[in-house]
Amino acid sequence: MQPTIRIAIQKSGRLSDDSLELIRECDISFNRGQSKLKSQAFNFPIELLFLRDDDIPRYVADKVADLGIVGENVLAEEKTPVDVVAKLGFSKCRISIALPKTTPYQGIDDLSGLNIATSYPNILSEFLQRSGISASIHEISGSVEIAPSIGLAEAVCDIVSSGSTLISNGLREVEHIFNSEAVLIANQALSKAKQKVVDELVFRIRAVLKAKNYQYILLNAPNDAIDQVIELLPGMKSPSVLPLADEGWSSVHSVVHKEQFWEIIEGLKAVGAQGILVVPIEKMIV
Ligand code: PRT
Ligand code: ZN
């Protein structure tokens, strides 16, 4: 019998919805009561544990959970010994240093001697060391953005996503020091049996994540344009070409990367493709 693995997920916050959605997209079903601390999946040997995000790396390192989903910022700050199994592509943000917009800034040397407020003292101190800058770090646990206006610090180092929090506090981003997104982490000493279940889950996650970047495309094209169509549509291996009942025409099926999509469509129209259908892909195994 397969052992049940445990995955730690943020109880409520910016990582929660996307983490749960990813598990559901892997066709794993579970009930989540509002105040529940754990939930057992019905159709996969996994239990979900709902925790504060900052506690997740420690719980995984201590084997209370086998896996966890957490931001790279938390991981880099805590330096907990866990394995990063996969980048998950959501909760993207950066850690930046910001100054009051009235403070002149020519370059990184202007940070020398400043008092910088942050909840990320380790990430900040590594950056300062790397850059050869000597500055004071004032660690605070929240509302970092108000530190300059209340006279607590001359600069801040905090998470930025849209940048609107900085702007509304009269601050300006001057150095972008760390990039983060949600990652799947694992305990470093999983048993063979648990590793097998983890591998099964990771296989599903990769298939779901890969599919998010691609779309399936179907179109009709005159036979004399097929070579040009194929050149435009690389596909996973090469496109499928099927004859249409209408003589002289074929149907072409392929997969295109979302980033190249509109460019490719223009090319396809130009060589005579018609009836172009584009459908989302749920899972992609290559
Ligand atoms: O309660 P718990 O401890 O579990 O949650 P939390 O409050 O510590 O974390 P939460 O839910 O706010 O964030 C969880 C993770 O989401 C973070 O560790 C990051 O990896 C990621 N993330 C992505 C963000 C943001 N975007 C983000 N914008 N975390 C925080 N912010 C905050 C930031 O601190 C600042 O106050 O949003 C503000 C800036 O946002 P913009 O859009 O105005 O720039
Ligand atoms: Zn937290």
Side-chain angles (χ1 to χ4, degrees):
M1 218 184 84
Q2 283 182 307
T4 295
I5 55 166
R6 264 190 177 174
I7 184 166
I9 281 175
Q10 189 188 26
K11 189 171 189 319
S12 106
R14 288 184 163 88
L15 295 157
S16 312
D17 289 349
D18 286 330
S19 302
L20 293 176
E21 195 187 318
L22 179 63
I23 307 273
R24 290 202 170 96
E25 284 172 325
C26 290
D27 300 319
I28 296 173
S29 319
F30 55 90
N31 272 337
R32 201 206 160 178
Q34 270 310 313
S35 58
K36 267 183 140 183
L37 290 178
K38 18 185 212 177
S39 177
Q40 173 75 47
F42 309 126
N43 55 355
F44 194 86
I46 192 166
E47 187 177 46
L48 284 69
L49 207 58
F50 302 107
L51 301 170
R52 285 200 56 196
D53 70 338
D54 318 70
D55 296 334
I56 291 175
R58 195 67 264 160
Y59 274 65
V60 172
D62 292 348
K63 265 199 173 168
V64 177
D66 305 295
L67 296 174
I69 296 180
V70 71
E72 284 174 300
N73 51 312
V74 171
L75 212 54
E77 184 60 30
E78 308 292 333
K79 296 215 178 314
T80 323
V82 292
D83 286 341
V84 174
V85 181
K87 291 201 175 214
L88 302 176
F90 59 82
S91 296
K92 287 191 176 172
C93 57
R94 56 193 185 272
I95 293 182
S96 289
I97 298 177
L99 292 173
K101 60 177 191 260
T102 48
T103 308
Y105 188 77
Q106 251 93 52
I108 198 159
D109 289 338
D110 290 350
L111 298 175
S112 279
L114 295 188
N115 191 8
I116 309 174
T118 189
S119 310
Y120 293 91
N122 292 328
I123 292 176
L124 175 58
S125 124
E126 270 170 33
F127 169 78
L128 293 172
Q129 242 174 40
R130 243 186 0 253
S131 315
I133 302 291
S134 158
S136 314
I137 298 176
H138 189 112
E139 184 178 350
I140 51 176
S141 61
S143 303
V144 173
E145 64 280 356
I146 63 165
S149 64
I150 59 170
L152 193 66
E154 293 141 316
V156 300
C157 170
D158 199 10
I159 294 187
V160 183
S161 169
S162 66
S164 59
T165 302
L166 292 183
I167 292 170
S168 61
N169 284 279
L171 299 169
R172 162 169 77 111
E173 202 173 346
V174 294
E175 295 291 337
H176 170 171
I177 70 170
F178 188 83
N179 278 323
S180 177
E181 67 182 85
V183 286
L184 180 71
I185 55 171
N187 179 275
Q188 292 182 326
L190 292 175
S191 68
K192 265 203 176 130
K194 279 194 172 180
Q195 185 64 51
K196 213 165 159 244
V197 183
V198 167
D199 290 346
E200 251 178 72
L201 177 68
V202 172
F203 178 78
R204 292 192 192 192
I205 289 176
R206 288 196 202 286
V208 167
L209 294 180
K210 179 114 188 142
K212 286 186 194 290
N213 295 323
Y214 290 87
Q215 283 166 316
Y216 193 73
I217 180 166
L218 304 94
L219 59 89
N220 298 329
N223 286 345
D224 56 12
I226 292 294
D227 286 347
Q228 290 161 287
V229 169
I230 290 175
E231 214 165 289
L232 287 161
L233 287 176
M236 277 162 75
K237 216 162 185 183
S238 73
S240 314
V241 181
L242 307 151
L244 286 187
D246 194 354
E247 220 174 284
W249 282 77
S250 294
S251 166
V252 182
H253 300 197
S254 193
V255 164
V256 289
H257 197 284
K258 280 186 181 165
E259 274 176 15
Q260 298 159 346
F261 178 74
W262 289 110
E263 202 183 308
I264 289 177
I265 293 290
E266 284 305 316
L268 291 171
K269 275 176 21 202
V271 300
Q274 293 179 5
I276 303 173
L277 298 179
V278 179
V279 286
I281 302 173
E282 235 185 56
K283 318 257 179 344
M284 205 163 148
I285 295 138
V286 287

